[in-house]
Amino acid sequence: MASAQMENHSRNDYVQLRLITGRSKMHPAAAVAPSPLGTLPGMRRLGSTSSSRSCKPTDVCVFLKDGSGHEFFLDNALVETAHDLQQRMMESLGMPESATEVFNIWIVSPLLQLQLKPYHIPFKLCRQWPDLLDKFTIATEQQKANDEPVLTFQRNAFFPKSKEKTITDSKTLVRLFEEARYNVLEGNYPCEPEDYEYLAAILAWIQHGTYPARREYGLFKDRLQEYVPLCMCKGGSRWLKNKQGFSNIESRIFRQWEDISKKVKSKADCYRLYLQFCWKLPFYGSVLFTGQIERSNTGIGLLDCPDRPVHIAINRDGVFVMDIIKQELLLGLMYDELSWEYTEPEKNSETCLSCLWLQFDMDQGRRKISHVLQIFSKQSVMMNAMIEACVDELNKQDIQLIHHERTVMDGLLRVAREAAAPAMSESLPVKEPKTCISNQVDRLCLATFSEEGTLIKTKAKRPFSFAGIFGK
């Protein structure tokens, strides 16, 4: 149960492992990131031709988001469930039983990520990986051939953020911090430069301690990507102020580091401070799906303008559409603000993709209009399922809230309890994120409808009707 020591075992002892670092429905291509680890020695392919009835004793490694792995010996991987592996990991990490609802076993690769249910058998799903890639991705044959899934221990996508804020166990908080840091550095949480610099300063305290009396310029020079996402290091149109060079970024991190050193006294403080900031991000804890949307007409008149690759980030609060290349938020909608629909592709058409449709209202002068965004993705069915699960959970909470607040006294008692409860998430002064939901409607290829369902205008090259999608 110690960290994996791959090199001391023979090739036949392993499975393949590689780390990759509305509340109501509507009316009736992404780039593939390389794995941070190379091919690990002593691994055999998960899709190997082992018997479906029995399996040789196997060593399996489950990875954390910090890149470390924990190795377990399984007598028969074909009967080992995700729940079994979860319990092994918690025992190995010395985590309390309360962490059972916080973390889950996932199967992830550069092309696809799946959170497993307790009864799923990871080994069987890994052997089915080529079929899953065919079903849920548009990757090339070469990309699919090179794609290798691994087992990871990471945050349960359905765990409420409100409960996460009350966690006091130090080991659980460390795991959550490592995952939040991973998502920030990978660009999965698109933020403003000032926010990235603030988070980088917290990491600087963790790595180097209190802000030094004399600045050591060049401290971050060769390791900047350990503190901020790659997009901050490279600059680009969204990061204009970073074109003044590395020294400018470093100076701002130093200033933030000096300020943070006045607030924290330990690494534990830093872990919580980092998490408290990330909890304020609307897309925290999201599952990332890949898809593509049409590009808005730029007026150049190009007919063959390729679709824009996007991440669709979904959590218990809402749905967020992010530009993969520019790592920026294009659209963010809470469930109370949206309606959605899922449609299958046309039959007998290999080139058509299933679609997720997002509808949201906006005021235009004195009238209300509806915008519709069409997202093309083989993962639309999974997005639809997750949205339904989140909305169902929110509806249950509403019913419970109504039940518990049937009388004025019930409401007063609830308010009194909440006021008396310790505010764990506010134990340290936390900077307010500059990042916010600012929907870039002008950059999206939207269809616009009146309240009566009449098409007002559309930027879409692929025609569709309001009645056809919304069932009017």
Side-chain angles (χ1 to χ4, degrees), residues 320-344:
F320 310 88
V321 181
M322 305 169 177
D323 187 309
I324 291 179
I325 304 301
K326 296 185 177 180
Q327 294 186 341
E328 61 182 332
L329 181 65
L330 298 175
L331 180 68
L333 298 169
M334 301 295 105
Y335 289 120
D336 285 330
E337 302 171 335
L338 70 86
S339 299
W340 85 99
E341 190 57 86
Y342 162 71
T343 56
E344 293 280 359

Side-chain angles (χ1 to χ4, degrees), residues 45 111 130 133-134 137 139-147:
R45 295 188 63 82
L111 293 178
L133 293 181
D134 288 338
T137 75
T140 65
E141 291 303 318
Q142 185 61 47
Q143 288 172 334
K144 287 186 283 189
N146 294 334
D147 193 62

Side-chain angles (χ1 to χ4, degrees), residues 373-393:
L373 176 66
Q374 183 179 15
I375 301 171
F376 304 90
S377 175
K378 280 192 170 184
Q379 297 177 14
S380 294
V381 63
M382 293 193 291
M383 300 181 216
N384 179 60
M386 183 163 185
I387 293 173
E388 284 186 338
C390 291
V391 169
D392 286 345
E393 185 64 29

Side-chain angles (χ1 to χ4, degrees), residues 24 26 29 44-45 74 79 83 95 121 169 172 196 199 206 218 228 258 269 299 304 321 339 353 355 413 415 445 457:
S24 65
M26 288 184 179
R44 66 180 174 86
R45 295 188 63 82
L74 307 182
V79 298
H83 174 74
M95 302 184 74
I121 298 178
D169 177 68
T172 303
Y196 282 141
L199 293 173
I206 294 173
V228 297
E258 182 178 15
D269 286 345
D304 296 325
V321 181
S339 299
L353 298 175
C355 291
L413 288 174
V415 171
C445 190
K457 65 176 180 178

Side-chain angles (χ1 to χ4, degrees), residues 104-350:
N104 269 93
I105 297 296
W106 292 61
I107 301 179
V108 298
S109 80
L111 293 178
L112 186 63
Q113 56 176 326
L114 301 173
Q115 177 175 316
L116 304 190
K117 294 183 178 180
Y119 58 82
H120 281 148
I121 298 178
F123 189 82
K124 288 184 177 179
L125 287 175
C126 288
R127 287 172 58 181
Q128 298 170 7
W129 202 250
D131 295 332
L132 293 173
L133 293 181
D134 288 338
K135 184 175 182 180
F136 295 118
T137 75
I138 57 172
T140 65
E141 291 303 318
Q142 185 61 47
Q143 288 172 334
K144 287 186 283 189
N146 294 334
D147 193 62
E148 298 176 349
V150 297
L151 301 178
T152 63
F153 182 77
Q154 61 190 75
R155 186 182 185 277
N156 173 11
F158 296 97
F159 185 66
K161 185 163 57 177
S162 58
K163 294 183 68 174
E164 183 174 329
K165 292 178 179 180
T166 65
I167 293 175
T168 57
D169 177 68
S170 60
K171 292 182 179 179
T172 303
L173 288 172
V174 169
R175 299 278 86 82
L176 291 169
F177 156 75
E178 289 170 350
E179 186 164 342
R181 176 182 60 184
Y182 171 87
N183 283 314
V184 169
L185 297 182
E186 286 294 307
N188 296 334
Y189 292 166
C191 294
E192 293 301 312
E194 184 177 331
D195 293 340
Y196 282 141
E197 291 156 6
Y198 174 78
L199 293 173
I202 298 176
L203 297 182
W205 201 106
I206 294 173
Q207 291 291 327
H208 306 286
T210 304
Y211 179 77
R214 170 181 264 174
R215 288 188 181 183
E216 183 183 342
Y217 287 103
L219 179 65
F220 306 109
K221 184 173 183 180
D222 298 324
R223 303 174 57 188
L224 190 58
Q225 293 181 38
E226 296 179 17
Y227 298 90
V228 297
L230 181 62
C231 58
M232 279 283 287
C233 307
K234 293 171 61 177
S237 60
R238 185 168 174 248
W239 316 99
L240 285 175
K241 70 176 185 177
N242 293 336
K243 288 188 175 181
Q244 299 179 34
F246 159 78
S247 60
N248 200 15
I249 302 177
E250 187 178 47
S251 295
R252 292 195 297 271
I253 294 176
F254 271 125
R255 286 197 295 270
Q256 297 273 19
W257 184 7
E258 182 178 15
D259 183 60
I260 287 171
S261 295
K262 302 173 184 176
K263 304 174 183 177
V264 301
K265 298 180 180 179
S266 65
K267 287 186 177 181
D269 286 345
C270 289
Y271 297 149
R272 178 167 286 281
L273 192 64
Y274 199 97
L275 281 170
Q276 286 175 199
F277 183 89
C278 290
W279 287 334
K280 293 177 179 291
L281 300 174
F283 33 73
Y284 175 79
S286 293
V287 178
L288 296 184
F289 301 93
T290 56
Q292 57 200 63
I293 60 176
E294 289 186 89
R295 293 182 185 272
S296 178
N297 186 356
T298 60
I300 300 176
L302 297 178
L303 295 178
D304 296 325
C305 185
D307 286 348
R308 185 196 305 272
V310 293
H311 275 144
I312 302 88
I314 302 175
N315 62 14
R316 289 172 57 98
D317 297 322
V319 181
F320 310 88
V321 181
M322 305 169 177
D323 187 309
I324 291 179
I325 304 301
K326 296 185 177 180
Q327 294 186 341
E328 61 182 332
L329 181 65
L330 298 175
L331 180 68
L333 298 169
M334 301 295 105
Y335 289 120
D336 285 330
E337 302 171 335
L338 70 86
S339 299
W340 85 99
E341 190 57 86
Y342 162 71
T343 56
E344 293 280 359
E346 295 181 7
K347 294 182 179 179
N348 303 321
S349 177
E350 297 181 358

